[in-house]
Amino acid sequence: MKPLISISSLSFSYGVVPVLENITFAINPGDFIAIIGPNGSGKTTLLRILLGFLSPTSGKVQHAIPQEQIGYVPQRYTIDKNFPGTVREILGTEDSSLFKRTGIEQFVNKKFVALSGGQQQRVLIALALRQKPKLLFLDEPTAGVDIQAQREFYQLLKLLNHQGIAIVLVTHEVGVIPSLVKKVICINHQLCCVGKPSDIHHLLEKMYGPEFVVHRHKHKHSHEHQHGDSRV
Amino acid sequence: MVIPVFELFTYGFMQKALVGGTLIALCCGLLGPFLVLRRLSLLGDGLAHLSFGGIALGLLLGVNPLISALITVILGSFWVRSLVKKNVYGDAAIALLLSLGVGVGVTVIGVVRGFNVSLYSYLIGSVLTLSPLDLILSSLVLLAIIFFLTYFYRELFLNTFNEELARFSAKRVAISDLLFTLLTAMMVVIAIRAVGILLVSALIVIPTLISLNLAKSFKQTLFFSSLSAFVAVMVGILVSYGVDTPPSGSIVLLLFAGFMVTELIKRRK
């Protein structure tokens, strides 16, 4: 099976500051990958290189599919909160099957900025799906989205993956990963580990150290108790 | 003596002012929302000030000032784009442009005395003295903008929504961005004739702010922006003629009043 994207010995630095060093992995058809790592670990930089917004300082990124077959869902915070466009205008289509597939048919005539976080993410997914992608990149898609909307959103991603779209998710939300993705890639400037989601605790321990995992678990339980959230 | 309004429309200069004013208002009303929503509100101001240098050079070299301004502003707009791509802050690049234009203009005035009156008319605008060439240029720019919006609307819209996303969801983003820059430069030069260098950004920015307070969609934003610019220019011309003041001042004050009214309407909703 030929990879959709192959990344080999990729390094990137801002001036003299190294951000990514010697990263190698592949994205295959049907993959559902979560890229995780602490803040400032280079996750977003890696995503921007994979999307072609940045060029690696060294190493190779080989795309086996054209850019038209790659969908991108940016963080919704990057959208201007005064943008006056409606969902229908943003999508630029009357394709009711697309509206239904992404569960947005009830609010296509509303302004994008008037929607909840979860609804906005669905619209951004619908926009990416317009071009019938084989690979979908999502950058922190559920940041600031409530738990119920997060669950529904992840179910939508699961469905899209079952329909044959490879998905790469950059996220902080490790709580949902075991039930969702097929592969987890942990980075902290370097590739710390790649594994199955069932290994998630092991991977986190490897990435952050055992103390961190114990501490974060304590924190997670108290945080869930207070807010029902599960962020790392 | 009060001249009946209908009699005003029989004067050739007034007909030219109303036709030219309409063309210029529609140009600004159609492109303004894209500039404001892309955080480029001050680009119009920077380009207008740069045109001051271009106009002064035109007068100095005996070239039609509108042509010299157009060349200067087009070059300036592409320069700003390249500076921003090289990670110079957008507002700093505009400030650089603005300073250069005023610096050149003031130096030329200092070297060659006697241009002051001509330059003053460009500073505050004079829609009542539009020439046939101004009308032709304004018509061409408006036609170009309509053509551009017809064929590149999707690219421009998505680029305004999210620049990075546009690269994935639209194919001709780079060429649409290039044409947008070119048309912005042309729009600024023709708008200078109506409201002058000092107030040109008002005709670009305030109609958009008014429309953002009223519109329920992006297309409505373009409609209300064009409508408010058109009404302000028409009423501004008539009022300024009646009270004998420069039209640019009346146009901008009317736009400001329109903005305040729509702010109140928005807050009451």
Side-chain angles (χ1 to χ4, degrees):
Chain A
M1 189 163 49
K2 197 180 174 191
L4 300 173
I5 300 183
S6 306
I7 299 102
S8 54
S9 308
L10 180 147
S11 295
F12 181 85
S13 52
Y14 285 110
V16 290
V17 183
V19 180
L20 295 168
E21 288 177 277
N22 200 27
I23 307 271
T24 298
F25 67 95
I27 302 167
N28 295 307
D31 263 353
F32 196 153
I33 298 173
I35 299 176
I36 62 170
N39 282 334
S41 59
K43 296 188 302 289
T44 302
T45 302
L46 176 61
L47 178 69
R48 292 176 67 77
I49 292 171
L50 296 178
L51 289 166
F53 296 147
L54 293 172
S55 301
T57 315
S58 65
K60 273 186 184 174
V61 178
Q62 285 178 308
H63 289 75
I65 50 171
Q67 187 174 294
E68 294 83 59
Q69 290 180 358
I70 298 174
Y72 170 48
V73 179
Q75 290 192 33
R76 61 189 181 85
Y77 294 116
T78 60
I79 310 293
D80 179 5
K81 63 181 172 53
N82 290 316
F83 188 78
T86 63
V87 172
R88 198 183 287 274
E89 287 178 318
I90 289 164
L91 296 178
T93 178
E94 295 298 322
D95 183 358
S96 56
S97 64
L98 178 69
F99 301 160
K100 207 171 173 183
R101 189 181 177 196
T102 48
I104 60 170
E105 62 267 64
Q106 303 95 328
F107 44 82
V108 284
N109 291 319
K110 281 191 177 177
K111 276 188 184 180
F112 178 82
V113 292
L115 305 179
S116 70
Q119 291 170 335
Q120 288 184 347
Q121 285 298 356
R122 283 171 178 272
V123 173
L124 293 175
I125 287 231
L127 182 58
L129 290 179
R130 261 203 69 182
Q131 60 207 68
K132 299 181 173 44
K134 284 188 175 165
L135 172 60
L136 193 58
F137 285 105
L138 298 103
D139 189 8
E140 303 277 4
T142 51
V145 174
D146 69 69
I147 290 286
Q148 181 58 31
Q150 275 187 30
R151 284 198 191 112
E152 289 169 6
F153 182 76
Y154 285 130
Q155 282 310 311
L156 172 63
L157 290 187
K158 221 169 177 173
L159 182 70
L160 294 174
N161 184 240
H162 281 147
Q163 290 168 354
I165 301 173
I167 292 176
V168 178
L169 192 67
V170 170
T171 185
H172 275 104
E173 317 274 348
V174 294
V176 291
I177 284 174
S179 62
L180 187 73
V181 302
K182 296 172 183 169
K183 195 195 287 181
V184 181
I185 294 175
C186 304
I187 64 162
N188 195 357
H189 303 292
Q190 296 177 334
L191 195 63
C192 294
C193 40
V194 179
K196 289 178 184 171
S198 53
D199 297 333
I200 187 81
H201 297 301
H202 167 67
L203 298 175
L204 286 175
E205 191 175 335
K206 220 173 166 185
M207 185 167 62
Y208 297 102
E211 282 179 15
F212 181 85
V213 177
V214 173
H215 170 76
R216 295 307 295 184
H217 275 230
K218 277 182 188 168
H219 175 74
K220 192 182 104 179
H221 291 306
S222 67
H223 197 62
E224 273 179 347
H225 185 68
Q226 286 169 23
H227 304 291
D229 202 348
S230 61
R231 285 177 150 220
V232 163
Chain B
M1 187 182 73
V2 177
I3 301 169
V5 172
F6 65 86
E7 204 182 309
L8 279 178
F9 297 115
T10 62
Y11 299 141
F13 74 90
M14 185 56 83
Q15 288 169 353
K16 276 189 279 185
L18 294 173
V19 171
T22 302
L23 296 169
I24 292 165
L26 292 179
C27 289
C28 294
L30 287 171
L31 284 192
F34 294 102
L35 283 165
V36 173
L37 289 166
R38 289 171 76 174
R39 303 284 193 276
L40 292 171
S41 298
L42 286 178
L43 181 63
D45 207 31
L47 292 176
H49 281 76
L50 180 69
S51 75
F52 182 62
I55 289 166
L57 283 174
L59 290 171
L60 179 69
L61 301 170
V63 178
N64 184 318
L66 267 186
I67 306 294
S68 60
L70 191 63
I71 294 168
T72 318
V73 167
I74 288 172
L75 291 175
S77 60
F78 284 106
W79 187 45
V80 165
R81 265 170 60 101
S82 69
L83 284 176
V84 171
K85 279 184 182 167
K86 286 175 191 160
N87 286 334
V88 174
Y89 294 121
D91 52 353
I94 290 169
L96 195 66
L97 201 74
L98 190 149
S99 322
L100 177 69
V102 175
V104 170
V106 169
T107 306
V108 171
I109 290 172
V111 172
V112 187
R113 313 229 172 237
F115 286 165
N116 300 18
V117 175
S118 305
L119 276 170
Y120 182 74
S121 75
Y122 285 101
L123 280 177
I124 61 158
S126 53
V127 74
L128 293 172
T129 60
L130 288 179
S131 68
L133 176 68
D134 293 325
L135 294 188
I136 292 167
L137 281 177
S138 305
S139 309
L140 290 175
V141 173
L142 180 61
L143 276 175
I145 289 172
I146 291 170
F147 182 81
F148 172 64
L149 289 181
T150 306
Y151 288 96
F152 289 92
Y153 179 77
R154 183 76 189 146
E155 286 77 8
L156 196 59
F157 175 85
L158 280 179
N159 214 358
T160 308
F161 179 58
N162 184 296
E163 210 174 319
E164 289 186 344
L165 214 155
R167 281 173 60 176
F168 277 84
S169 305
K171 287 175 184 165
R172 304 172 300 173
V173 174
I175 180 77
S176 81
D177 210 31
L178 197 80
L179 291 172
F180 177 67
T181 307
L182 192 67
L183 287 171
T184 301
M186 291 159 86
M187 174 195 71
V188 166
V189 172
I190 60 156
I192 286 167
R193 296 291 288 133
V195 288
I197 290 164
L198 297 177
L199 294 172
V200 74
S201 63
L203 199 54
I204 296 168
V205 175
I206 306 177
T208 302
L209 296 180
I210 291 172
S211 69
L212 286 173
N213 281 342
L214 301 173
K216 291 189 171 115
S217 68
F218 198 88
K219 283 191 174 156
Q220 278 191 17
T221 306
L222 295 182
F223 172 75
F224 283 124
S225 170
S226 305
L227 182 69
S228 53
F230 168 73
V231 171
V233 170
M234 292 299 105
V235 179
I237 289 170
L238 297 175
V239 168
S240 71
Y241 189 80
V243 297
D244 195 20
T245 54
S248 52
S250 314
I251 292 167
V252 172
L253 289 176
L254 278 164
L255 282 171
F256 184 75
F259 171 69
M260 294 309 288
V261 170
T262 57
E263 271 288 293
L264 287 175
I265 293 170
K266 188 184 164 190
R267 282 180 195 180
R268 283 195 169 193
K269 275 182 186 173

